[in-house]
Amino acid sequence: MIGVFDSGVGGLTVVREIKKYLPTENILYVGDTARVPWGNKSPETIQRYSAQICDFLVSQKVSKIVIACNTASAVAGDYLRNRFPKVVFFDVVQPAVERVCSENFFRVAVIGTKATIGSGVYQKKIAAKKGNVSVFSKECPLFVPLVEEGWMSGAIPSAIAKKYFQSFAARNVEVMVLGCTHYPFLIPTIRRAVGKNIKIINCATETAKALKKDESSQRQRRKPSKQGKDKYCFTDASPHYHKMIMRIMKEKISIKKISFKA
Ligand code: DGL
């Protein structure tokens, strides 16, 4: 069973992709809906929240953990790897960086939360792999509450997207990395705001591909199982979230409420 976690419903974009690429995998998802958003919190708080969730996932005997949150990948990834040395971690930043660097892109925009953009993780990792790429980053803090509210299209999200991306055209951006797992829910709105010519990289898809690559290298030793069974745990499971999660996953799923110390 793979553990997957995020601050809220954003990591479900990663779950959806994992289910496409690895349909027989069992997934245990944790969304910290009681404490979302994480993206405007301090690294210490994001590390503490992430560690509490990983303690829970380890207690449930997951074989690996996908940090399905750019914010946690950026500011808590190293911390978690040190704190849980026996756990195999996948994050959502590295696969997106690999994708950017594998193609002929030289002017890249990265959008994310305040914590992700503030960490400079994408600039650093892209620069370490390829020196001649310019990275323009932009915090888009209002996108996460819009998604958690289920308000993903229409005049208000469009106006916010236009405002956020107004500087990209002058910079001749070729590709935009959705550096937050909540953002894929806004792709139609984002697409309209940036126009047709900018390519969009979805870190959720890149992460699922990286997991599949890793699984295929080990699969020979294991028997393939049947269609995966997934479990969904949330720290707040109000009727609003119930409805939204089912809409996102397009299936009837039962949700377990779990809680952590403040
Ligand atoms: N989905 C998250 C990310 O990828 C976190 C958003 C938030 O809680 O602010 O960054």
Side-chain angles (χ1 to χ4, degrees), residues 6-8 10-11 36-40 68-72 92 113 116 144 179-182:
D6 178 49
S7 61
V36 69
W38 287 6
N40 49 14
C69 172
N70 280 262
T71 303
V92 285
T113 64
T116 301
V144 171
C180 173
T181 54
H182 280 71

Side-chain angles (χ1 to χ4, degrees), residues 5-17:
F5 79 91
D6 178 49
S7 61
V9 297
L12 293 174
T13 60
V14 182
V15 171
R16 286 197 310 202
E17 296 297 311

Side-chain angles (χ1 to χ4, degrees), residues 139-153:
E139 298 172 354
C140 301
L142 289 174
F143 282 167
V144 171
L146 279 175
V147 168
E148 292 285 326
E149 179 59 33
W151 195 359
M152 299 169 203
S153 59

